[in-house]
Amino acid sequence: MKQVSILGATGSIGQNTIDLIRRAPGQFDVVALTGGRNIAQLAADAMALGAKVAVTAHDALLPELRAALAGSTVEAAAGSAALIEAASRPADWVMSAIVGAAGLPPGLAALGQGATLALANKESLVTAGPLLMQTARENEARILPVDSEHSAIFQAMVGEDADAVSRVIITASGGAFRDWPLADLARATVAEASSHPNWAMGQRITIDSASMFNKALEMIEAREFFGFDPEQIEVLVHPESVVHALVGFVDGGLMAHVGPPDMRHAIGYALHWPQRQALPVAALDLAAIGTLNFRAPDPARYPALRLARDVMEMRGLSGAVFNAAKERALDRFIAGHIGFWEMNEVVEEVLTRLTGDPAEMNAALTLDCVSRMDHLARQSVDQVVSERNS
């Protein structure tokens, strides 16, 4: 029986992972579940799956979690140290689905005990890719991609010579504003940016899709995980969202991964790897879809893609700056302090201010350095926003 833990169990990825585990009784022994503020969901899942421990990231919610788990054998814990302790518990497979830079320390802890890390937290590779990969090597651990695009690349490369890859194409839905007049983006509201044209996701990832910051992170993630050169990584807008990625080879051929926009495919592939097992995802009806469309992203509409290329060239701590600035700028947009289009401008300004010293950017990549740069970038966003609004 495979021992598994789920970091970020109450989010969309975590809930889809739990769905697959419930559909395979007797195959998995759940060690730990972690979550945020949805204590009722966290406790209910922990008891239903027989988890050894349930952890909320918020210390103040520990009494509520303990009360919800009363009468069960599930241990309750709270706080950042408890998250790392839960991730450090021996397990064969750990889902890393905590949103944002907060997912990095528990992910490193899971790799430190030799687990296979199913990585849905793209920020870990963006902020500290070399550190994450080195930790995996040192502990003979494995990282499996769960982002649909990177899972698609991973699957398309099975049995192929990595040296024969000439290019990779990551697809993007284009988000809520893919067909808006460019001049209208400055007035886009939070509600409009939070409505995806293809599917329902959390607010933050939906807005990141509209700005294409999510795709910018995925470009950096592809470089760090697979070792591609920046010029090998391309992005295409694909409104149907059924071709998740394509891998091009030196002979001119393209290998595409095609499937429904259901995250249970990528999760299930990682959960059962190296075997494939039947999954509760719909079969594509290509005749009903009829036509697949692709177009190059407009650089003027999606400045985030250009910023990602800058970060891929700089490497080092620039990824930590970029991700933290993006996260904090999104906070400020949601709070109504800046407009949708201003997020791009604020992130670019912070990158300019904090990445000017090559020696600092290329200092030894440690968790402390990443955390310090993350903090500085968030402070810098607040300063830039304050200057713009004064």
Side-chain angles (χ1 to χ4, degrees):
M1 187 178 295
K2 183 184 288 187
Q3 289 190 310
V4 302
S5 292
I6 305 173
L7 311 178
T10 56
S12 174
I13 297 295
Q15 287 295 292
N16 278 316
T17 305
I18 288 171
D19 175 65
L20 294 178
I21 288 173
R22 283 177 167 158
R23 293 171 185 267
Q27 292 188 33
F28 303 101
D29 177 28
V30 178
V31 176
L33 298 183
T34 79
R37 298 187 180 280
N38 192 344
I39 299 300
Q41 186 71 61
L42 177 62
D45 288 334
M47 290 187 290
L49 295 174
K52 309 301 185 293
V53 61
V55 182
T56 171
H58 305 285
D59 292 283
L61 296 181
L62 181 56
E64 183 180 346
L65 180 59
R66 283 177 172 157
L69 293 170
S72 76
T73 61
V74 183
E75 177 187 347
S80 56
L83 287 177
I84 293 173
E85 191 279 329
S88 301
R89 295 193 181 200
D92 303 306
W93 187 93
V94 177
M95 168 58 75
S96 175
I98 296 173
V99 175
L104 176 60
L108 287 170
L111 291 173
Q113 51 96 359
T116 292
L117 187 70
L119 189 63
N121 173 265
K122 58 173 63 69
E123 293 85 359
S124 292
L125 280 170
V126 171
T127 61
L131 177 60
L132 203 73
M133 303 304 285
Q134 178 184 345
T135 302
R137 288 191 297 270
E138 289 176 348
N139 294 279
E140 298 182 346
R142 178 179 291 276
I143 302 174
L144 296 175
V146 175
D147 259 357
S148 59
E149 295 80 5
H150 302 87
S151 177
I153 295 170
F154 186 79
Q155 294 182 54
M157 290 178 62
V158 170
E160 300 289 347
D161 180 0
D163 291 336
V165 175
S166 61
R167 61 197 286 229
V168 291
I169 301 170
I170 300 171
T171 60
S173 68
F177 305 136
R178 66 190 177 204
D179 299 317
W180 274 41
L182 194 60
D184 292 346
L185 293 182
R187 63 166 182 80
T189 67
V190 172
E192 289 167 333
S194 303
S195 178
H196 197 280
N198 291 6
W199 55 76
M201 303 184 292
Q203 182 186 47
R204 297 181 70 86
I205 184 61
T206 303
I207 297 173
D208 279 350
S209 176
S211 65
M212 207 82 91
F213 269 114
N214 70 323
K215 212 53 53 178
L217 296 182
E218 288 167 13
M219 293 167 67
I220 301 168
E221 188 181 3
R223 173 171 173 73
E224 297 298 339
F225 185 85
F226 296 101
F228 299 133
D229 293 331
E231 59 269 19
Q232 291 180 288
I233 302 169
E234 304 172 26
V235 174
L236 283 179
V237 175
H238 169 50
E240 292 80 15
S241 298
V242 297
V243 178
H244 302 297
L246 304 97
V247 177
F249 297 94
V250 292
D251 60 2
L254 283 170
M255 192 82 71
H257 180 276
V258 185
D262 187 330
M263 282 304 300
R264 290 178 299 178
H265 175 86
I267 295 167
Y269 185 82
L271 183 63
H272 298 293
W273 184 89
Q275 287 80 37
R276 284 188 185 269
Q277 291 195 16
L279 297 172
V281 299
L284 278 182
D285 185 343
L286 292 175
I289 295 172
T291 302
L292 300 179
N293 295 280
F294 302 91
R295 63 176 184 257
D298 179 0
R301 183 180 296 272
Y302 303 116
L305 303 184
R306 171 179 54 81
L307 298 179
R309 295 202 177 277
D310 293 342
V311 170
M312 286 193 288
E313 292 293 343
M314 287 186 285
R315 301 197 76 186
L317 288 167
S318 64
V321 174
F322 181 63
N323 179 73
K326 187 277 299 182
E327 289 187 12
R328 187 60 178 154
L330 177 56
D331 291 339
R332 302 305 295 265
F333 169 60
I334 292 172
H337 301 150
I338 58 174
F340 176 81
W341 190 255
E342 287 181 282
M343 287 191 292
N344 298 297
E345 298 169 345
V346 168
V347 171
E348 184 165 14
E349 177 61 26
V350 171
L351 275 171
T352 300
R353 294 186 183 190
L354 296 185
T355 61
D357 184 348
E360 185 175 30
M361 283 299 100
N362 293 297
L365 198 63
T366 66
L367 184 56
D368 285 344
C369 287
V370 171
S371 298
R372 180 178 65 85
M373 195 55 66
D374 180 279
H375 179 68
L376 288 175
R378 292 172 196 272
Q379 283 187 323
S380 186
V381 167
D382 290 343
Q383 181 178 353
V384 171
V385 171
S386 178
E387 291 170 359
R388 297 173 71 94
N389 291 337
S390 62

